[in-house]
Amino acid sequence: MENKKQQSVSKSDGGEFSDLDYQSGFGNSFSSEAIDGALPPGQNSPLVCPYGLYAEQISGTSFTSPRYSNQRSWLYRIKPSVTHEPFKPLVPDHGKLVSEFNKSNSSTTPTQLRWKPVDIPESPTDFIDGLYTVCGAGNSFLRHGFAIHMYTANKSMDNCAFCSADGDFLVVPQKGRLWITTECGRLQVSPGEIVVLPQGFRFSVSLPDGPSRGYVAEIFGSHFQLPDLGPIGANGLAAPRDFLVPTAWFEEGSRPGFTIVQKFGGELFTARQDFSPFNVVAWHGNYAPYKYDLSKFCPYNTVLFDHSDPSINTVLTAPTDKPGVALLDFVIFPPRWLVAEHTFRPPYYHRNCMSEFMGLISGGYEAKADGFLPGGASLHSCMTPHGPDTKTFEATVSRGNEAGPHKITDTMAFMFESCLIPRICPWAFESPFMDHDYYQCWIGLKSHFSRLDIQNGHNDTVERDD
């Protein structure tokens, strides 16, 4: 389906990115021209393209992938992206990015882990410099796995662009807006929104608000898609129309010394060229960056009793070949009503075959009364027990069964959940922001066990079997 309809984002507080037009829809086939007539009519690669442009395809899947899953776009640019000097290793080495997780560069533990919010650096640091891997699993060379990064930055990228050859970036800003220029156009991404920058796309990040901080999930060998809705039906959760794709926008003219920084196997390489990579005058296809406003998510939940599994809050999923098992799910915990009767309403205590990395964008989290702060993170790996802290449990039980409907407000938490067991990078283990007292939030949980049978109002003693 061709989608040329554009949706205008509301104006914010000024600036060149504050009133951008977007195309809407998830996974649609889009067409966009910055100059009328720049798209070749009737074919992808004519002998001579309009305006003397070069045709260039970018493929997110193999050429022979089934049509329903095939992703590719055609870009019509002033100069092709191949026009650059040879790539060389970045000097000095970045040192804190990983895409191949093994015992030589990471380790693991079943202990619950939590990190406090990381300080914004004092020295000039852009998105690339401030990006570091916390944990991950698998191998980008084998096209299976994921990495979870965090970033802190205080300056815009200057005369350079970044791209990952390893996988898709799902960026979750927590502090400060991001103005992101891509080969398909420009996006403004605020805290409370997310952006997906697919494998191979070049982009540059500017910081209109100054200091910025956030989270990144990178997936190897897969792409995000909307989860199936099953018995929910045709509507609910994240609506396809609320995903926004940029419209064509381009830079022309000479840009001497422009640097491409490419992440390849977890290492960074640089190449110089004399033009901006954002010289795409027109493009069409279904492989493109996109953003989503989390406030548009339509949550579903319990209306009578018990707490629903967190999978009911899945925004995007990267599936594996095994049905129902995700390489990585992106799940949110947004404002919503709690109405369950005779129910412990916060998340239940559990051990999970999946591994869960959580972050907090704003407000508090319903299962942690203290210690889990915006910009912080936690990791509960495969079969590691976790759940509400002592204060949350005691406060919930003290309200009794007569607690009326309650709305969770002023919060936005999220979870990256994976079937793979993550290994943790040494700088995350050694971080001064590691919360070494995390375990103490459960130590106060007391036994409330009683042998009194209170069913039907009786207080009979339960007889022992031995």
Side-chain angles (χ1 to χ4, degrees):
M1 177 177 65
E2 287 291 316
N3 187 336
K4 294 186 179 181
K5 186 177 180 180
Q6 297 182 354
Q7 178 173 332
S8 178
V9 77
S10 60
K11 289 190 176 183
S12 55
D13 58 353
E16 58 179 320
F17 281 60
S18 62
D19 191 22
L20 298 176
D21 285 331
Y22 296 94
Q23 304 173 95
S24 69
F26 188 91
N28 289 0
S29 182
F30 298 99
S31 296
S32 185
E33 300 175 317
I35 299 176
D36 288 343
L39 281 172
Q43 67 178 114
N44 294 319
S45 185
L47 179 63
V48 178
C49 293
Y51 300 104
L53 299 172
Y54 288 86
E56 179 178 295
Q57 180 176 257
I58 181 167
S59 300
T61 55
S62 64
F63 297 143
T64 53
S65 291
R67 182 180 287 267
Y68 73 87
S69 63
N70 204 300
Q71 296 189 38
R72 67 91 179 95
S73 286
W74 281 90
L75 314 180
Y76 299 92
R77 54 197 324 150
I78 297 170
K79 290 183 70 174
S81 58
V82 71
T83 313
H84 62 78
E85 298 175 1
F87 279 100
K88 300 177 181 179
L90 177 68
V91 178
D93 183 20
H94 186 289
K96 288 190 176 181
L97 293 175
V98 178
S99 292
E100 185 178 12
F101 295 88
N102 53 56
K103 288 185 176 181
S104 70
N105 60 19
S106 54
S107 55
T108 192
T109 177
T111 299
Q112 304 93 341
L113 301 177
R114 185 163 71 184
W115 292 268
K116 301 172 185 177
V118 176
D119 291 339
I120 301 295
E122 295 183 1
S123 59
T125 304
D126 66 16
F127 179 83
I128 302 172
D129 297 330
L131 189 68
Y132 62 96
T133 309
V134 177
C135 62
N139 188 323
S140 65
F141 292 99
L142 299 180
R143 313 308 306 136
H144 183 66
F146 72 93
I148 294 174
H149 317 287
M150 296 183 71
Y151 71 88
T152 55
N154 57 20
K155 69 181 290 287
S156 300
M157 292 170 58
D158 182 32
N159 211 41
C160 69
F162 179 77
C163 84
S164 175
D166 294 332
D168 290 7
F169 268 34
L170 190 164
V171 183
V172 186
Q174 183 272 321
K175 176 183 174 67
R177 289 175 299 164
L178 305 179
W179 285 355
I180 303 177
T181 303
T182 78
E183 292 172 273
C184 289
R186 301 175 297 171
L187 306 106
Q188 176 176 258
V189 187
S190 301
E193 296 180 313
I194 62 169
V195 61
V196 173
L197 301 161
Q199 177 189 8
F201 271 99
R202 295 171 176 179
F203 63 91
S204 182
V205 178
S206 296
L207 309 179
D209 303 327
S212 182
R213 177 173 61 201
Y215 313 82
V216 179
E218 183 179 19
I219 52 173
F220 313 140
S222 184
H223 296 296
F224 289 105
Q225 62 187 50
L226 294 176
D228 291 330
L229 295 179
I232 292 176
N235 306 289
L237 307 188
R241 71 173 183 171
D242 292 326
F243 289 82
L244 302 180
V245 173
T247 54
W249 176 91
F250 68 96
E251 294 179 331
E252 60 180 326
S254 177
R255 292 288 295 272
F258 196 100
T259 302
I260 303 297
V261 181
Q262 181 149 313
K263 180 174 176 287
F264 188 88
E267 300 179 48
L268 296 186
F269 297 81
T270 64
R272 295 291 186 92
Q273 58 187 49
D274 61 2
F275 63 97
S276 168
F278 311 121
N279 65 350
V280 178
V281 180
W283 65 273
H284 77 86
N286 63 353
Y287 191 53
Y290 56 89
K291 75 168 191 170
Y292 175 73
D293 183 346
L294 299 178
S295 69
K296 295 183 180 297
F297 187 80
C298 179
Y300 276 60
N301 215 326
T302 298
V303 295
L304 189 59
F305 64 89
D306 283 351
H307 182 97
S308 298
D309 294 331
S311 50
I312 201 70
N313 292 316
T314 302
V315 179
L316 292 169
T317 183
T320 64
D321 293 336
K322 189 174 181 179
V325 179
L327 174 66
L328 192 125
D329 281 337
F330 175 61
V331 179
I332 64 171
F333 303 95
R336 63 202 184 279
W337 280 95
L338 299 181
V339 300
E341 301 174 354
H342 307 288
T343 293
F344 185 78
R345 291 177 176 176
Y348 44 78
Y349 295 99
H350 67 293
R351 292 173 291 166
N352 192 355
C353 63
M354 306 286 276
S355 295
E356 304 174 5
F357 179 96
M358 286 199 63
L360 185 59
I361 300 170
S362 61
Y365 175 55
E366 60 183 307
K368 296 292 186 293
D370 294 317
F372 189 42
L373 303 174
S378 67
L379 176 63
H380 305 134
S381 289
C382 172
M383 292 304 173
T384 291
H386 55 287
D389 60 18
T390 303
K391 286 186 177 181
T392 301
F393 178 86
E394 296 294 348
T396 301
V397 172
S398 69
R399 298 187 187 102
N401 281 326
E402 302 308 316
H406 169 68
K407 187 176 183 180
I408 299 176
T409 59
D410 302 321
T411 181
M412 184 62 75
F414 73 88
M415 179 169 67
F416 298 140
E417 184 176 66
S418 176
C419 66
L420 303 183
I421 299 175
R423 301 183 66 86
I424 300 97
C425 296
W427 43 87
F429 264 132
E430 299 162 4
S431 170
F433 301 98
M434 172 74 80
D435 184 355
H436 295 286
D437 295 327
Y438 182 30
Y439 73 96
Q440 293 189 6
C441 77
W442 294 289
I443 295 299
L445 289 168
K446 301 175 182 178
S447 172
H448 297 277
F449 176 71
S450 172
R451 290 182 175 274
L452 295 179
D453 180 7
I454 60 173
Q455 291 182 356
N456 300 319
H458 298 301
N459 291 325
D460 299 329
T461 300
V462 177
E463 294 185 0
R464 296 180 60 174
D465 295 328
D466 54 352

